[in-house]
Amino acid sequence: MAKDTEALFPACPVHGYALRHAVEADVDFIFELDRSHMKTEVDRLYPGTWNDEHARSIIVENLPRARIVEWEGSRTGAYYWRAEEPSTAVLHSLQIAPAHRRKGLGRWLMGFFEAEAKAQGLTRAGLAVFDTNPALEFYRRLGYSACGRDGPSALAMEKAL
Ligand SMILES: CC(C)(COP(=O)(O)OP(=O)(O)OC[C@H]1O[C@@H](n2cnc3c(N)ncnc32)[C@H](O)[C@@H]1OP(=O)(O)O)[C@@H](O)C(=O)NCCC(=O)NCCS
C-alpha cells in the first residue's frame, strides 16, 4: 500500500485482518463475492436484468479504487467506489464473506473508504441499498441517512464527510 494511503488507514479492530489495494488478479474474487450476494436479489427485484459481463466490467472500471481485506492470507471481503461530480464518493459495493460479518470489519472498511475520499477533496459519501437489505441498519449506524430513491427497490443514502 502506498505511504499516503497507509497514513489514512485506521487500525484494524479485529486481530489478524489486513487491507490492501486490489489488483487485476482479484477481479474474479470480487465478482464472485458480488454475484453470490447480489444476483439473487437482482433476479427477484428486477428479473432478467443481472448481467455477468456488465457486473465484471464495473469492477474492472473501478479497480483503482477497489480494496481487499484478508485474514490469515485468505481474501474475506472487498469494496470499491468511484467519484461522482461534483464532490461525492459513491460506494459501489461492499461485501464481507458471511463467516466474517458482525465483527466490526464493515465499520472499519467504511472508515477507510471515507478517509480516502475525504483526502481526495470529496465532501459527501453516497450509496444505494435495497429496501430489503439488512445493511440499511448498518449504514444508519455509520451516520448515513436517506436522501432519495435509487429506482423502485433501493434507497439512496448519503453522509457528509
Ligand atoms: C453489511 C455488511 C458489510 C456489514 O459488515 P459487518 O462487518 O458485518 O458490520 P460491522 O460488524 O462492522 O457492524 C457495524 C454496525 O452495524 C451493525 N450491523 C451490521 N450488520 C447489521 C445487520 N445485518 N443488521 C443490523 N445491524 C447491523 C452492527 O450491529 C454494528 O452496530 P454497532 O457498532 O452499533 O454495534 C456485511 O453484513 C455484508 O457484507 N453483507 C452482505 C453484503 C451487503 O449487503 N453489502 C451492502 C450492499 S449495499
Side-chain angles (χ1 to χ4, degrees), residues 33-50:
L33 201 60
D34 274 356
R35 194 178 196 277
S36 67
H37 178 253
M38 298 285 295
K39 189 177 181 307
T40 311
E41 274 308 274
V42 173
D43 284 348
R44 191 173 67 79
L45 297 166
Y46 303 107
T49 61
W50 178 269

Side-chain angles (χ1 to χ4, degrees), residues 51-132:
N51 179 321
D52 279 349
E53 222 169 282
H54 180 62
R56 191 182 286 273
S57 74
I58 293 174
I59 298 166
V60 171
E61 203 176 292
N62 290 293
L63 202 59
R65 293 162 308 286
R67 309 289 174 251
I68 299 285
V69 62
E70 291 184 329
W71 184 69
E72 295 189 342
S74 290
R75 295 172 291 193
T76 59
Y79 71 86
Y80 50 96
W81 64 279
R82 64 184 159 80
E84 199 172 271
E85 291 295 322
S87 55
T88 303
V90 178
L91 183 73
H92 230 295
S93 171
L94 165 65
Q95 306 282 342
I96 293 169
H100 299 269
R101 291 178 193 164
R102 302 303 279 261
K103 294 176 173 186
L105 270 184
R107 184 184 286 277
W108 178 60
L109 295 180
M110 288 297 287
F112 188 57
F113 154 62
E114 290 168 7
E116 203 174 4
K118 202 170 166 178
Q120 292 187 18
L122 301 169
T123 56
R124 305 202 76 75
L127 56 92
V129 56
F130 287 135
D131 298 318
T132 48

Side-chain angles (χ1 to χ4, degrees), residues 21-34:
H21 286 217
V23 294
E24 218 173 307
D26 294 313
V27 171
D28 283 351
F29 166 77
I30 301 171
F31 171 72
E32 291 303 336
L33 201 60
D34 274 356

